[in-house]
Amino acid sequence: MRNWRWGFLLLLHFAFLLGTEAFKFHKTQRTERISGSAGDVLEDDPVGRLKVFVYELPSKYNKKILQKDPRCLSHMFAAEIYMHRFLLSSPVRTLNPEEADWFYTPVYTTCDLTPNGLPLPFKSPRMMRSAIQLIASNWPYWNRTEGADHFFIVPHDFAACFHYQEEKAIGRGILPLLQRSTLVQTFGQRNHVCLKDGSITIPPYAPPQKMQSHFIPPDIPRSIFVYFRGLFYDVGNDPEGGYYARGARAAVWENFKDNPLFDISTEHPTTYYEDMQRAIFCLCPLGWAPWSPRLVEAVIFGCIPVIIADDIVLPFADAIPWEEIGVFVAEKDVPNLDTILTSIPPEEILRKQRLLANPSMKQAMLFPQPAQSGDAFHQILNGLARKLPHDRTVFLTPGEKILNWTAGPVGDLKPW
């Protein structure tokens, strides 16, 4: 255990000075526009740049599943539901598939929940295969490209690998029938079998109205230096320890549970959102997967995200300058987290806060109802539009087949 006594007063003084500057910043509502192309991309309007055809599937693939368990509307995997609703009334939708640039198949694969509200991925591959078989049998558009001009929302922990534990997700790999499609997914990690080239990484769903109802007056200073609420160990699924979060969360607790600059706990208070608005840094460590809603919450509440997840691919990374608004800490460097954060100059922290205060930054992380210009729905469409026009090589010659319909685990081949 480190001896904090000599440095504590200096660190408190630092935090006080920063809080005073943050106070001034909040009162004047200063923001900073994102420099270069990132800001332009965030503000792009996808309308007129692409047309999307939405397949009409039997309700057993979407609406009936939701009726069975409405909890799916509020969990962090709900992007698949809200994207479907958005597209049905979006000006980019076309009812004429012959003029479509993209085809969307509305399948709610994360809406089979446990009593605790966690999605069970085990039926998801069969459900997805069934939907693809249906559109391939009833429309000609899948077969002409074997899905290369189709996109799917797959917000599972490890996306189209359809498992919540990384080792098993890696063993499964991406569902073979989706190998040519564009996957829109929350999971993103470089050099990982569950992220294929061309995927669009998106933020997890966080309820906009709920967060907005917890905004506090902007002139309240940020008096918490480092904030985190969540698990440090997952005893139920990782009884021996060390596997969950690759040990990064355990290292946070073991090194900083008694550090007065770190407000960290497993308890989730009713003031959670308010506390984030009083914090300068919010830890966003990996859990079972590298992503979590904390990233969205940190951006919305102007708390500088401290990203602890090696090789993570962040949402809309081609549009949001994550290096400028966040702090990246390697998993192996977690024991030095205090030194890393206290060594960041106050002027750099204030600039990150100004960037985070940019409304377009916050809007890009949300799936609001109704949709709003520049939100996550529009960023997804921007990502799809930037892939156009499709290369002519994606269109197959008559009778040509690339995908193997019988590949994958035997259990996935059972009827759904």
Side-chain angles (χ1 to χ4, degrees):
M1 179 62 64
R2 294 182 176 89
N3 186 341
W4 302 101
R5 295 179 180 177
W6 291 108
F8 182 40
L9 288 177
L10 288 174
L11 294 176
L12 280 183
H13 180 62
F14 170 82
F16 172 77
L17 288 175
L18 186 57
T20 302
E21 291 300 313
F23 175 81
K24 296 176 184 175
F25 158 67
H26 282 306
K27 288 197 71 174
T28 55
Q29 291 293 295
R30 291 168 58 206
T31 65
E32 185 167 329
R33 190 181 187 279
I34 306 159
S35 61
S37 62
D40 300 330
V41 172
L42 277 178
E43 295 162 13
D44 279 354
D45 185 357
V47 176
R49 299 169 56 210
L50 77 167
K51 293 183 179 181
V52 177
F53 180 77
V54 180
Y55 286 112
E56 292 188 20
L57 301 185
S59 60
K60 69 176 184 176
Y61 291 99
N62 39 64
K63 294 178 182 177
K64 280 191 177 180
I65 300 174
L66 180 57
Q67 290 171 356
K68 180 181 176 183
D69 200 332
R71 291 179 299 171
C72 300
L73 285 168
S74 57
H75 69 178
M76 60 184 174
F77 309 95
E80 61 185 359
I81 298 171
Y82 291 109
M83 190 68 188
H84 181 202
R85 292 181 174 183
F86 163 72
L87 285 172
L88 290 177
S89 58
S90 171
V92 305
R93 183 189 182 191
T94 177
L95 300 179
N96 178 7
E98 293 295 332
E99 66 177 17
D101 301 297
W102 289 99
F103 295 81
Y104 168 64
T105 308
V107 185
Y108 299 171
T109 58
T110 65
C111 204
D112 182 17
L113 304 182
T114 67
N116 292 331
L118 300 175
L120 288 168
F122 311 114
K123 297 179 183 177
S124 300
R126 291 160 50 202
M127 182 183 182
M128 187 67 82
R129 280 180 54 88
S130 175
I132 293 173
Q133 287 172 334
L134 180 68
I135 63 174
S137 301
N138 289 277
W139 288 274
Y141 308 106
W142 173 273
N143 296 316
R144 69 183 186 181
T145 66
E146 288 198 322
D149 53 358
H150 289 55
F151 70 93
F152 293 82
I153 313 295
V154 281
H156 275 280
D157 292 83
F158 289 93
C161 289
F162 294 121
H163 207 285
Y164 61 89
Q165 292 184 341
E166 184 174 21
E167 184 177 356
K168 293 181 179 179
I170 291 173
R172 290 185 51 83
I174 293 173
L175 186 72
L177 292 186
L178 295 177
Q179 290 289 350
R180 286 175 57 82
S181 301
T182 290
L183 303 181
V184 179
Q185 57 187 69
T186 46
F187 172 76
Q189 182 173 317
R190 289 185 291 274
N191 304 314
H192 199 286
V193 298
C194 299
L195 178 69
K196 72 185 192 72
D197 289 344
S199 298
I200 297 174
T201 309
I202 64 172
Y205 177 78
Q209 290 80 8
K210 181 180 178 181
M211 289 190 291
Q212 290 165 3
S213 69
H214 286 267
F215 280 137
I216 62 176
D219 57 355
I220 294 179
R222 294 183 179 270
S223 56
I224 301 171
F225 193 63
V226 180
Y227 187 76
F228 176 79
R229 290 294 184 273
L231 290 177
F232 297 98
Y233 307 89
D234 189 345
V235 178
N237 294 300
D238 183 26
E240 297 180 4
Y243 186 71
Y244 177 63
R246 297 196 282 259
R249 292 197 187 197
V252 169
W253 179 251
E254 291 162 7
N255 285 277
F256 304 111
K257 60 184 176 182
D258 297 321
N259 186 325
L261 292 178
F262 282 66
D263 187 345
I264 58 176
S265 172
T266 57
E267 298 178 359
H268 204 287
T270 56
T271 58
Y272 174 69
Y273 287 152
E274 289 82 358
D275 292 343
M276 293 189 84
Q277 295 170 78
R278 295 186 181 99
I280 296 169
F281 295 105
C282 288
L283 302 185
C284 300
L286 74 162
W288 284 111
W291 61 272
S292 83
R294 287 180 191 83
L295 193 67
V296 178
E297 295 161 350
V299 171
I300 297 304
F301 294 128
C303 187
I304 297 171
V306 180
I307 299 158
I308 308 170
D310 294 353
D311 295 322
I312 189 172
V313 176
L314 291 160
F316 308 131
D318 56 346
I320 296 177
W322 289 106
E323 295 284 350
E324 295 185 50
I325 65 172
V327 176
F328 289 78
V329 177
E331 294 166 24
K332 66 178 177 60
D333 292 334
V334 167
N336 302 318
L337 195 54
D338 56 335
T339 304
I340 292 170
L341 296 180
T342 56
S343 65
I344 299 175
E347 58 271 19
E348 183 178 339
I349 292 175
L350 290 170
R351 182 172 187 271
K352 291 179 185 294
Q353 290 178 329
R354 290 195 297 270
L355 286 170
L356 283 168
N358 189 315
S360 63
M361 187 78 68
K362 301 178 187 298
Q363 191 77 333
M365 299 295 285
L366 294 175
F367 295 90
Q369 303 293 307
Q372 300 171 15
S373 177
D375 62 17
F377 300 117
H378 290 83
Q379 300 307 326
I380 292 171
L381 293 182
N382 281 335
L384 293 170
R386 288 194 287 272
K387 293 177 177 291
L388 297 175
H390 294 295
D391 192 294
R392 296 305 303 174
T393 59
V394 306
F395 294 92
L396 307 181
T397 59
E400 183 182 3
K401 298 291 182 184
I402 295 178
L403 298 178
N404 183 353
W405 284 74
T406 61
V410 175
D412 291 357
L413 306 181
K414 296 179 181 179
W416 178 73

